[in-house]
């Protein structure tokens, strides 16, 4: 997604004739007003670096930062290697070779995207911990299971996040291998290279932009993760920010830690841009896709086993375990409280989807009408929030809201209208504001793509018939945007339903959702109790993943 956003900045387009002429300031102002939703919290967090608290930094430097930096470095390195190895190898296997079930495996390998990493985390612990069914079975068979690796160690966190995030690399790498063109590999083979040598010396270098894009997304999700590392009790920046705020009640320490995380995310985004550079990668030859080579014998069986093994470990076995746990507690746990959890999750997700689609339409419309650098820069900055962890945005939204709240309460008291303890804090509006900063990119990308399919000639034809700007927006743009808007709303809906740190840190008192219920149960080690809300989240997440996979297969 960051690469698509970047391309919108580097490809200036002239507005059609009907939009040139008078200078309209409304569109740039609209674009920058929407961008402010993301920029204000980021600026608040970064500005905290200008007011360093020496006692806080002394404490952080001596007791906190060394452990956080080491844990985060190990996590980033491990997940980078794991997602690259798993994603690229599976993408190459399903794009270049033919074996039984290849077409089904091609889309099913994206299914782990439907399972939030924090859900996969507690299921993995429940399955592979000392008291879990696997080690119990091993002890029954062999009398001892101490040789089995500890799932709660660093390797367990890396393995869990690798299984949850490898589809980012897999989807982009597969698209690259499918579109590189048959002639490139044929040319390599005509020069005496084998198919394997062609992979290392031709296909892999040509796929570098896609691999970097997928890896960047996976690592940003890794940096932003809160639920997984909290379940494993593995301290990273996100857990430290949460503890500084809610355990130590030290908002300044939380903002100082958050500022470091923002700098890390920006460094990652710059790394992606630098690796891409000014190079251009195009398909080699028309007609593009390589005809899969038919595997036979043990090679075919090995390919099937590899795909089945990854799918089983990353999706189907955890899903089966969730179903078993949910069935065991359903009679006892499934009561009226779940109507509240589900109702609040649906209300939040639907409200966020509606609001973000409106913001995305406004932003995409402003960029299309003006098409200048200022509008495109505003769109780029407005969508930065997707790369920023939810814990950081929660801190960045809460600080200015708290400041504004204090000013409002002083005014209310001065006017003799009462003694309020808070006005804006702890309201749904704050949650929705933080969601908007985090997920605007999710709504903007499908909307912008749909907007680009509307040609300038269609707009000019409407303008020549006497339609004004609002009429063109209502009668031309919105009807033609329906597909893109539906996709945007669906993706935001599911992302908000899964979102944990923003919900935890900004929700009104007692406002528990499915994700909050999962966190509360997993923090107490009650895996079975967490299965019911987790299952609802996974089933909701399956819808967009299946739609995305089907769309990808159609294009391939």
């Amino acid at each position: 997604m960051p690469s698509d956003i970047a391309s919108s900045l580097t490809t200036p387009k002239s507005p059609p004739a009907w939009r040139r002429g008078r200078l309209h300031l409304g569109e740039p102002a609209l674009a920058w007003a929407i961008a402010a939703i993301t920029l204000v919290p980021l600026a608040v967090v970064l500005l905290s670096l200008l007011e360093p608290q020496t006692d806080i930094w002394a404490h952080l430097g001596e007791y906190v930062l060394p452990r956080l930096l080491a844990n985060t470095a190990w996590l980033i390195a491990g997940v980078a290697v794991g997602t690259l190895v798993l994603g690229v190898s599976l993408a190459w296997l399903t794009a270049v070779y033919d074996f039984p079930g290849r077409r089904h495996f091609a889309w099913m390998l994206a299914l782990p995207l439907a399972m939030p990493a924090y859900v996969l985390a507690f299921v993995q612990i429940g399955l592979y911990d000392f008291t879990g069914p696997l080690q119990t079975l091993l002890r029954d068979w062999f009398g001892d299971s101490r040789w089995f690796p500890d799932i709660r160690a660093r390797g367990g966190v890396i393995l869990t996040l690798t299984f949850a995030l490898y589809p980012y690399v897999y989807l982009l790498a597969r698209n690259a291998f499918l579109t590189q063109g048959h002639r490139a590999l044929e040319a390599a083979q005509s020069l005496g290279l084998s198919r394997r040598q062609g992979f290392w010396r031709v296909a892999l270098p040509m796929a570098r932009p896609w691999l970097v894009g997928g890896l960047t997304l996976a690592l940003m999700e890794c940096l932003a993760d809160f639920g997984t590392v909290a379940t494993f009790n593995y301290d990273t920046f996100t857990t430290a920010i949460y503890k500084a705020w809610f355990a130590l009640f030290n908002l300044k320490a939380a903002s100082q830690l958050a500022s470091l995380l923002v700098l890390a995310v920006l460094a990652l985004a710059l790394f992606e841009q630098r690796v891409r550079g000014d190079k251009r990668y195009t398909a080699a030859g028309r007609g593009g896709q390589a005809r899969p080579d038919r595997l036979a014998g043990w090679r075919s069986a090995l390919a099937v086993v590899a795909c089945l093994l990854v799918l089983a470990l990353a999706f189907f076995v955890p899903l089966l375990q969730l179903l078993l746990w949910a069935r065991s507690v359903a009679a006892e746990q499934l009561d009226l409280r779940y109507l509240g959890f589900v109702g609040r999750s649906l209300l939040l997700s639907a409200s966020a989807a509606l609001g973000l689609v409106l913001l995305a339409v406004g932003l995409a419309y402003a960029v299309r009408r003006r098409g200048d650098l200022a509008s495109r820069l505003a769109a780029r900055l407005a969508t930065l929030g997707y790369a920023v962890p939810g814990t950081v945005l929660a801190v960045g939204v809460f600080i200015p809201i708290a400041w504004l709240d204090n000013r409002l309460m002083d005014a209310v008291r001065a006017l003799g209208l009462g003694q309020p303890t808070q006005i804006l804090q702890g309201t749904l509006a704050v949650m929705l504001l933080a969601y908007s900063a985090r997920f605007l990119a999710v709504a903007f990308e499908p909307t912008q793509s749909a907007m680009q399919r509307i040609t300038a000639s269609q707009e000019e034809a409407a303008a020549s018939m006497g339609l004004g700007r609002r009429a063109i927006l209502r009668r031309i743009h919105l009807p033609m945007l329906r597909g893109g808007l539906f996709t945007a709303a669906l993706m935001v809906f599911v992302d908000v339903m899964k979102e944990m740190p923003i919900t935890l840190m900004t929700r009104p008192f007692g406002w528990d959702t499915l994700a909050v219920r999962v966190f509360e149960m997993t923090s107490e080690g009650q895996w079975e109790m967490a299965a019911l809300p987790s299952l609802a989240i996974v089933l909701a997440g399956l819808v967009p993943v299946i739609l995305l996979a089907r769309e990808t297969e159609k294009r391939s």
Side-chain angles (χ1 to χ4, degrees):
M1 188 170 294
S3 59
D4 298 334
I5 300 169
S7 65
S8 68
L9 263 180
T10 56
T11 313
K13 296 176 182 177
S14 299
W18 70 278
R19 283 187 263 138
R20 294 194 292 266
R22 287 190 303 165
L23 178 62
H24 296 287
L25 298 179
E27 289 83 9
L30 175 64
W32 282 102
I34 295 172
I37 296 173
T38 303
L39 291 180
V40 169
L42 288 182
V44 167
V45 170
L46 287 176
L47 285 174
S48 68
L49 285 175
L50 301 179
E51 298 178 354
Q53 306 290 314
T54 54
D55 54 336
I56 291 176
W57 281 109
H59 173 78
L60 293 178
E62 185 173 358
Y63 300 106
V64 180
L65 282 181
R67 187 178 72 258
L68 294 186
L69 290 172
N71 284 352
T72 305
W74 275 108
L75 195 62
I76 290 293
V79 172
V81 172
T83 52
L84 273 179
V85 170
L86 211 54
V88 172
S89 58
L90 290 172
W92 180 252
L93 189 64
T94 56
V96 176
Y97 295 105
D98 191 18
F99 51 90
R102 181 186 72 91
R103 293 187 62 83
H104 298 294
F105 285 130
W107 67 267
M108 290 169 66
L109 285 167
L111 286 179
L113 277 178
M115 186 167 292
Y118 59 80
V119 172
L120 186 61
F122 81 78
V123 176
Q124 300 279 39
I125 292 177
L127 281 171
Y128 305 121
D129 203 12
F130 182 79
T131 57
L134 181 61
Q135 289 210 49
T136 302
L137 188 64
L138 290 175
R139 284 194 294 276
D140 290 342
W141 285 353
F142 305 108
D144 191 4
S145 66
R146 284 176 293 180
W147 52 270
F148 194 83
D150 183 8
I151 189 65
R152 293 179 183 265
R154 176 180 291 133
V157 189
I158 293 174
L159 187 67
T160 301
L161 284 172
T162 296
F163 280 140
L165 302 178
Y166 85 84
Y168 287 111
V169 178
Y170 165 76
L171 287 171
L172 292 183
R174 186 166 188 272
N175 180 261
F177 295 143
L178 286 172
T179 56
Q180 277 177 350
H182 197 189
R183 291 184 181 178
L185 284 177
E186 285 181 343
Q189 289 175 312
S190 70
L191 293 172
L193 299 181
S194 65
R195 177 69 62 139
R196 180 181 300 175
Q197 290 171 322
F199 167 76
W200 288 107
R201 299 178 62 177
V202 177
L204 202 56
M206 289 179 65
R208 196 174 65 179
W210 288 267
L211 302 186
V212 172
L215 182 62
T216 304
L217 281 175
L219 294 186
M220 284 181 174
E221 289 285 343
C222 182
L223 278 175
D225 178 80
F226 169 76
T228 307
V229 291
T231 303
F232 276 95
N233 200 21
Y234 185 83
D235 285 336
T236 62
F237 277 95
T238 52
T239 56
I241 293 169
Y242 181 80
K243 289 176 181 175
W245 187 352
F246 287 94
L248 303 177
F249 303 104
N250 193 332
L251 195 55
K252 287 185 178 178
S255 63
Q256 305 267 313
L257 287 169
S259 63
L260 295 182
L261 198 50
V262 170
L263 293 178
V265 170
L266 292 178
L268 197 57
L270 288 175
F271 165 75
E272 185 206 12
Q273 292 290 333
R274 187 173 181 79
V275 170
R276 287 172 180 273
D278 297 327
K279 299 179 179 65
R280 295 289 181 268
Y281 299 78
T282 58
R286 286 179 292 177
Q289 294 180 15
R291 187 170 50 196
D293 284 351
R294 182 72 183 173
L295 293 177
W298 66 270
R299 290 185 177 85
S300 175
L302 189 61
V304 173
V305 168
C307 293
L308 283 176
L309 187 61
V310 172
L311 274 174
L313 292 176
F315 187 74
F316 286 115
V317 170
L319 181 63
L320 178 62
Q321 183 63 71
L322 278 179
L323 288 168
L324 293 175
W325 278 339
R327 191 180 67 172
S328 68
V329 299
E332 179 185 351
Q333 290 292 314
L334 199 57
D335 51 28
L336 292 178
R337 291 174 305 157
Y338 270 86
L339 288 179
F341 300 146
V342 173
R344 294 183 199 109
S345 297
L346 293 177
L347 176 63
L348 274 178
S349 302
S351 302
L354 177 62
L356 279 164
V357 165
L358 291 175
L359 291 175
V361 170
L363 190 59
Y365 184 70
V367 172
R368 182 178 179 84
R369 275 193 56 81
R370 298 299 303 167
D372 57 356
L373 179 61
S375 300
R376 285 184 280 118
L377 181 61
R380 176 70 175 104
L381 295 175
T383 51
L384 272 181
Y386 191 66
V388 180
T391 49
V392 174
L393 289 172
V395 172
V397 167
F398 185 83
I399 290 175
I401 289 293
W403 177 87
L404 181 60
D405 220 20
N406 289 332
R407 303 289 86 74
L408 289 175
M409 286 190 291
D410 289 342
V412 170
R413 293 188 191 108
L415 294 172
L417 299 177
Q419 297 292 326
T421 55
Q422 60 182 25
I423 297 175
L424 297 175
Q425 298 176 57
T427 63
L428 293 183
V430 177
M431 293 178 73
L432 292 175
L433 198 61
Y435 288 147
S436 300
R438 176 86 168 91
F439 297 118
L440 183 55
V442 178
F444 177 73
E445 288 304 318
T447 307
Q448 173 77 343
S449 299
M451 186 76 84
Q452 289 175 347
R453 294 195 182 104
I454 303 173
T455 64
S457 59
Q458 290 172 312
E459 293 172 329
E460 289 173 351
S464 68
M465 297 174 68
L467 296 182
R469 285 184 299 164
R470 292 182 182 177
I472 291 176
L473 176 64
R474 188 177 67 255
R475 299 176 61 178
I476 302 294
H477 288 149
L478 291 180
M480 297 183 71
L481 288 176
R482 278 182 300 187
L485 297 184
F486 174 74
T487 303
L490 184 62
M491 293 176 69
V492 172
F493 185 92
V494 174
D495 268 341
V496 172
M497 183 169 279
K498 293 190 296 185
E499 220 292 327
M500 179 181 282
I502 289 178
T503 312
L504 272 175
M505 298 169 79
T506 62
R507 75 188 195 278
F509 179 76
W511 186 273
D512 291 345
T513 65
L514 290 171
V516 172
R517 178 70 175 171
V518 173
F519 176 78
E520 289 177 345
M521 293 298 100
T522 54
S523 62
E524 297 173 2
Q526 299 186 39
W527 316 133
E528 293 88 349
M529 302 291 186
L532 273 175
S534 300
L535 199 57
I537 294 173
V538 171
L539 293 178
L542 274 175
V543 177
V545 171
I546 291 175
L547 290 177
L548 174 66
R550 288 179 59 184
E551 184 66 22
T552 303
E553 285 306 298
K554 284 179 184 176
R555 292 178 184 173
S556 66

